Amino acid sequence: MSDNNLVISVDAMGGDNSPRVVVEGIARAHKNNPDIKFLLFGDEAKVSEEMKRFPNLKKFCTLVHTSERVRNEDKPSQVIRNKNTSMYMAIDAVRQGQAQAVVSAGNTGALMAISKMILKTIQKIHRPAICTLIPHKKGRCVMLDLGANTECSAINLAEFAIIGNILAKHSLGIESPRVALMNIGAEEMKGREEIHQAAKIIKASHLDLNFIGYIEPHQIGEGYADVIVADGFSGNIALKTMEGTARLVTGLMKNSIKNSLLAKLGLPFLFPALWSLKRTMDPRKYNGGMFVGLNGLSVKSHGGTDAFGFSHALDNAAKLVRQNFVQTIRDEVENIDLDELSQDILYDVY
Amino acid sequence: MSDNNLVISVDAMGGDNSPRVVVEGIARAHKNNPDIKFLLFGDEAKVSEEMKRFPNLKKFCTLVHTSERVRNEDKPSQVIRNKNTSMYMAIDAVRQGQAQAVVSAGNTGALMAISKMILKTIQKIHRPAICTLIPHKKGRCVMLDLGANTECSAINLAEFAIIGNILAKHSLGIESPRVALMNIGAEEMKGREEIHQAAKIIKASHLDLNFIGYIEPHQIGEGYADVIVADGFSGNIALKTMEGTARLVTGLMKNSIKNSLLAKLGLPFLFPALWSLKRTMDPRKYNGGMFVGLNGLSVKSHGGTDAFGFSHALDNAAKLVRQNFVQTIRDEVENIDLDELSQDILYDVY
């Protein structure tokens, strides 16, 4: 697709500091992606007010007024019935072909529910997942599911392995990504039954996956795997624990330095090194959870991010559109029937 | 109990570098606990050889020869049938009253299975849990279950809350510990059903717990709660993710410094501050996972720890014996019948 036709639909009212952060994020993303057009949905008065700060914006942004918005406390079952929210309309623009991807910093559960209802799950994929790239000491890896599915069957996990594999190939450029299931031990008997079953299904499937078995969470940072597959509950636990621990370690370090006069003297020397570390670990650069397994591209930005973080979510969405990500997944899963396979395997076991 | 009678039973053959690390760990622990006696179980030739390095050791150590040991790959179902292993005999010494606690760095699943079979679960507690203290920015908190129970019911979780509360009171000296259930969102509807049910049971139980609701993993490091309750799978995922992320962040920091000449120049100034950080975060100081909910004290040391780490596990065990931990739990749960309560609550819901 030529970038001249690339349109990203944006929920201007999603996130903690919308529409300010959203509008500023678009202005930033434009610098890296001068050919992309943006279709904004939100309260006309509020969004236009923010847009005044960037007079250039009008050239590549179209604003559609919406009178309502999804709030953080809204339940998915409610939001799917209200077609007038900025989130609903932004997603619907993808279904209608007005945009190739949608980005929102709003309520995750709502975004997934509406995306699923409007864009529909790809044939042969049972459940969409939330996916992101996380840093390890040698680079980055793909991790999914991060919270779309609190409970997952073996089939769901096997499907996530397929999707993650495609994403690692295309987004990270890894020829034969090492795919692993997250578990609490390396031994076959450890952990939950659905994980054991998923391993059997993947191994028996001739999927041509470079499946390396189980990975324990303390190994993720070592870079042992390129794709980490988990159910949405455990994946979310791991992701949030990473975030909290990184903050704890750097916070304790700051305190140690603050309490030492000697360290304060040495700090200017270390500044460039600490700055480079900060850049590597900056969570804003990993902003943009992709909803994968849908007939359309839906990207969730962290609700509390700033304009720099939001622009990364937009960059992310643009990259996936250019890689024709949705069609690639559709093509690759067309010939796979994991359901049939899993029945054979369950029959073997019991 | 006078410390003159305090005996700790030790599996001298457990862990990656046994019996060397175990024997040296005992020598170290003796310095802080001169009145404790140790009852060692292991291969006589190998253990005696190591003990020669510390001639003083004979005065407070008794060695019992065992011909067999539990290996890392042994299944719990096998090890509970072999009464001749160093692990089995070390645990059995607690049942026989020869020791008040047992410490092993061996196979976790085996240690839990044998401990459960020999020591039995405390009446009214359905399942024992693995518990440890973890650091946060203001101090430490209790976390359980860390891997004993891959799946947990609402009742199990509520019982862990009770046990964790007692541990935080006694081990951390907190008068009214803030107890939280680990979950992937603060809202009531988020996460797994058993967590919602556990919250209802705890709230309705008049347990006199300072229950503060759900905690998300990125909040743990902030010190929002004193007791973190999770099922064994999620708890283990969170614990191992903390370990891996702390290592990743410090590793990346080292690399940043190594690659900067300027930083190398400044490093001597920072040394005391970094050293103090290292001391705070040292995982060896948190070594010693306690098995709680049993009629006897069983402590698991990390299999790969060194003598310093192993001595901390022994210190930990001694501290719990002195606090009369097992009897305290027995007393506190005597008047609680969560089963009955949960039936009421389930009746309410459906």
Side-chain angles (χ1 to χ4, degrees):
Chain A
M1 173 178 318
S2 146
D3 282 2
N4 290 323
N5 301 319
L6 206 163
V7 180
I8 295 180
S9 158
V10 181
D11 167 15
M13 308 309 283
D16 300 347
N17 299 302
S18 61
R20 186 176 53 73
V21 160
V22 173
V23 170
E24 199 181 322
I26 290 174
R28 273 177 172 273
H30 173 69
K31 287 180 197 160
N32 298 329
N33 307 276
D35 297 330
I36 300 181
K37 299 206 166 32
F38 297 91
L39 187 54
L40 278 76
F41 294 84
D43 182 290
E44 192 160 18
K46 287 180 189 160
V47 181
S48 319
E49 186 59 36
E50 293 296 337
M51 285 176 71
K52 280 185 194 155
R53 292 160 57 213
F54 309 93
N56 193 30
L57 231 62
K58 278 185 193 155
K59 291 183 200 151
F60 50 90
C61 288
T62 309
L63 173 59
V64 178
H65 175 70
T66 59
S67 52
E68 295 180 57
R69 61 182 289 181
V70 171
R71 288 157 306 176
N72 278 339
E73 61 275 20
D74 287 345
K75 290 189 181 171
S77 55
Q78 301 169 324
V79 295
I80 54 169
R81 286 194 294 260
N82 185 350
K83 297 187 177 181
N84 301 318
T85 62
S86 55
M87 188 188 278
Y88 192 106
M89 290 177 71
I91 299 168
D92 205 42
V94 176
R95 181 188 62 83
Q96 293 179 32
Q98 296 170 349
Q100 287 83 47
V102 53
V103 178
S104 170
N107 179 334
T108 311
L111 187 63
M112 181 50 104
I114 304 175
S115 298
K116 226 165 120 177
M117 188 186 65
I118 294 184
L119 303 175
K120 307 266 186 286
T121 309
I122 288 177
Q123 225 186 340
K124 296 206 177 169
I125 295 283
H126 291 81
R127 301 248 206 117
I130 303 176
C131 178
T132 197
L133 300 178
I134 56 167
H136 57 67
K137 75 178 188 190
K138 296 166 189 164
R140 292 184 298 171
C141 60
V142 167
M143 188 162 176
L144 75 169
D145 174 24
L146 299 169
N149 310 282
T150 308
E151 312 264 0
C152 286
S153 70
I155 291 276
N156 298 148
L157 294 172
E159 289 174 354
F160 297 164
I162 299 170
I163 297 174
N165 183 56
I166 299 170
L167 201 58
K169 272 191 205 168
H170 288 79
S171 283
L172 300 176
I174 299 168
E175 203 174 318
S176 176
R178 295 158 301 167
V179 178
L181 289 163
M182 187 169 82
N183 201 355
I184 58 170
E187 302 85 359
E188 279 198 17
M189 64 198 177
K190 282 244 182 144
R192 293 200 162 133
E193 189 51 33
E194 59 270 26
I195 300 176
H196 308 169
Q197 291 295 336
K200 284 195 187 121
I201 293 173
I202 294 170
K203 278 183 203 160
S205 66
H206 312 294
L207 273 174
D208 199 26
L209 282 189
N210 181 6
F211 178 61
I212 59 166
Y214 301 145
I215 189 165
E216 293 181 75
H218 61 276
Q219 300 168 324
I220 295 175
E222 303 291 325
Y224 288 165
D226 304 306
V227 178
I228 321 276
V229 176
D231 67 85
F233 189 87
S234 312
N236 196 285
I237 292 283
L239 187 76
K240 284 179 177 159
T241 307
M242 284 173 205
E243 185 191 328
T245 309
R247 211 189 302 138
L248 175 66
V249 175
T250 48
L252 287 173
M253 191 163 60
K254 271 186 204 159
N255 272 349
S256 291
I257 293 174
K258 221 169 64 185
N259 295 330
S260 153
L261 180 64
L262 195 63
K264 276 187 205 152
L265 290 173
L267 202 56
F269 294 96
L270 259 87
F271 198 72
L274 294 179
W275 183 247
S276 126
L277 170 68
K278 206 180 150 151
R279 271 199 354 242
T280 310
M281 294 294 288
D282 191 342
R284 296 177 302 171
K285 289 169 75 174
Y286 301 95
N287 188 30
M290 298 155 270
F291 290 3
V292 293
L294 295 170
N295 281 305
L297 208 53
S298 187
V299 172
K300 165 73 171 79
S301 159
H302 197 296
T305 197
D306 60 11
F308 179 72
F310 196 81
S311 75
H312 267 277
L314 294 169
D315 285 352
N316 230 331
K319 220 180 274 173
L320 291 167
V321 173
R322 291 196 183 108
Q323 288 162 354
N324 213 354
F325 178 66
V326 172
Q327 189 55 45
T328 310
I329 293 188
R330 263 198 296 247
D331 291 347
E332 294 221 11
V333 298
E334 197 168 331
N335 300 313
I336 299 167
D337 196 342
L338 288 176
D339 266 335
E340 225 169 70
L341 191 71
S342 80
Q343 272 159 22
D344 291 351
I345 286 174
L346 292 172
Y347 187 77
D348 272 3
V349 175
Y350 299 109
Chain B
M1 173 182 312
S2 148
D3 283 359
N4 289 322
N5 300 318
L6 205 163
V7 180
I8 295 181
S9 161
V10 181
D11 168 14
M13 308 308 283
D16 300 345
N17 298 301
S18 61
R20 186 176 53 74
V21 160
V22 173
V23 170
E24 199 182 320
I26 291 175
R28 273 178 172 272
H30 173 68
K31 286 180 196 158
N32 298 330
N33 307 276
D35 297 330
I36 299 182
K37 299 205 166 33
F38 297 92
L39 187 54
L40 277 77
F41 293 85
D43 182 289
E44 191 160 21
K46 286 181 189 161
V47 181
S48 316
E49 186 59 36
E50 293 296 336
M51 285 176 70
K52 280 184 193 155
R53 291 160 57 212
F54 309 93
N56 193 29
L57 230 63
K58 278 186 191 156
K59 291 183 197 152
F60 51 89
C61 287
T62 309
L63 173 59
V64 178
H65 174 69
T66 59
S67 53
E68 296 180 57
R69 61 182 290 178
V70 172
R71 288 158 305 177
N72 278 339
E73 61 276 20
D74 289 344
K75 288 189 182 170
S77 54
Q78 302 170 323
V79 296
I80 54 170
R81 286 194 295 261
N82 185 350
K83 297 186 178 183
N84 301 319
T85 61
S86 56
M87 188 189 277
Y88 193 106
M89 291 177 70
I91 299 168
D92 205 42
V94 176
R95 182 189 60 84
Q96 293 179 34
Q98 296 169 349
Q100 287 83 48
V102 55
V103 178
S104 171
N107 178 332
T108 311
L111 188 63
M112 182 48 105
I114 305 176
S115 298
K116 225 165 120 178
M117 189 186 63
I118 295 184
L119 302 175
K120 307 264 187 291
T121 309
I122 288 176
Q123 226 185 338
K124 297 205 175 167
I125 294 284
H126 291 80
R127 302 250 205 114
I130 303 177
C131 178
T132 198
L133 300 178
I134 57 167
H136 57 68
K137 75 177 188 191
K138 295 167 190 163
R140 292 185 296 172
C141 61
V142 167
M143 187 160 174
L144 77 172
D145 174 24
L146 299 169
N149 310 281
T150 308
E151 311 264 359
C152 287
S153 70
I155 291 277
N156 298 147
L157 294 173
E159 289 174 354
F160 299 164
I162 299 170
I163 298 173
N165 183 56
I166 299 170
L167 201 59
K169 272 190 205 168
H170 288 79
S171 283
L172 299 176
I174 299 167
E175 204 173 318
S176 176
R178 294 157 301 166
V179 178
L181 289 163
M182 187 168 81
N183 200 354
I184 58 171
E187 302 85 0
E188 279 198 18
M189 63 197 178
K190 281 242 182 147
R192 292 197 163 137
E193 189 51 33
E194 59 269 26
I195 300 175
H196 307 168
Q197 290 295 335
K200 284 195 187 121
I201 293 173
I202 294 169
K203 279 183 201 158
S205 66
H206 311 296
L207 273 174
D208 199 24
L209 281 189
N210 181 5
F211 178 62
I212 58 167
Y214 301 144
I215 189 165
E216 293 181 76
H218 61 276
Q219 301 168 323
I220 296 175
E222 303 289 324
Y224 288 166
D226 304 305
V227 179
I228 322 276
V229 176
D231 67 86
F233 189 87
S234 312
N236 196 285
I237 292 284
L239 187 75
K240 284 178 176 159
T241 306
M242 284 174 206
E243 187 191 327
T245 309
R247 212 190 301 138
L248 176 67
V249 176
T250 49
L252 288 173
M253 190 163 59
K254 272 184 203 159
N255 272 349
S256 291
I257 292 174
K258 222 170 63 186
N259 294 331
S260 152
L261 180 65
L262 194 63
K264 275 188 204 151
L265 290 173
L267 202 55
F269 294 96
L270 258 88
F271 199 72
L274 293 179
W275 182 247
S276 126
L277 171 68
K278 207 180 149 153
R279 272 201 351 245
T280 310
M281 295 294 290
D282 192 344
R284 298 178 303 172
K285 290 169 76 175
Y286 301 96
N287 187 29
M290 299 156 270
F291 291 4
V292 292
L294 296 169
N295 281 304
L297 208 53
S298 188
V299 172
K300 166 71 170 78
S301 160
H302 197 294
T305 196
D306 60 9
F308 180 71
F310 196 80
S311 76
H312 266 277
L314 294 169
D315 286 352
N316 229 330
K319 219 181 275 175
L320 291 167
V321 174
R322 290 193 184 109
Q323 288 163 354
N324 214 353
F325 177 65
V326 173
Q327 189 56 45
T328 310
I329 293 188
R330 264 198 295 250
D331 291 347
E332 293 222 12
V333 298
E334 197 168 331
N335 300 312
I336 299 167
D337 197 342
L338 287 177
D339 266 334
E340 225 168 70
L341 190 70
S342 81
Q343 274 159 22
D344 291 352
I345 285 174
L346 292 173
Y347 186 78
D348 271 4
V349 176
Y350 299 109

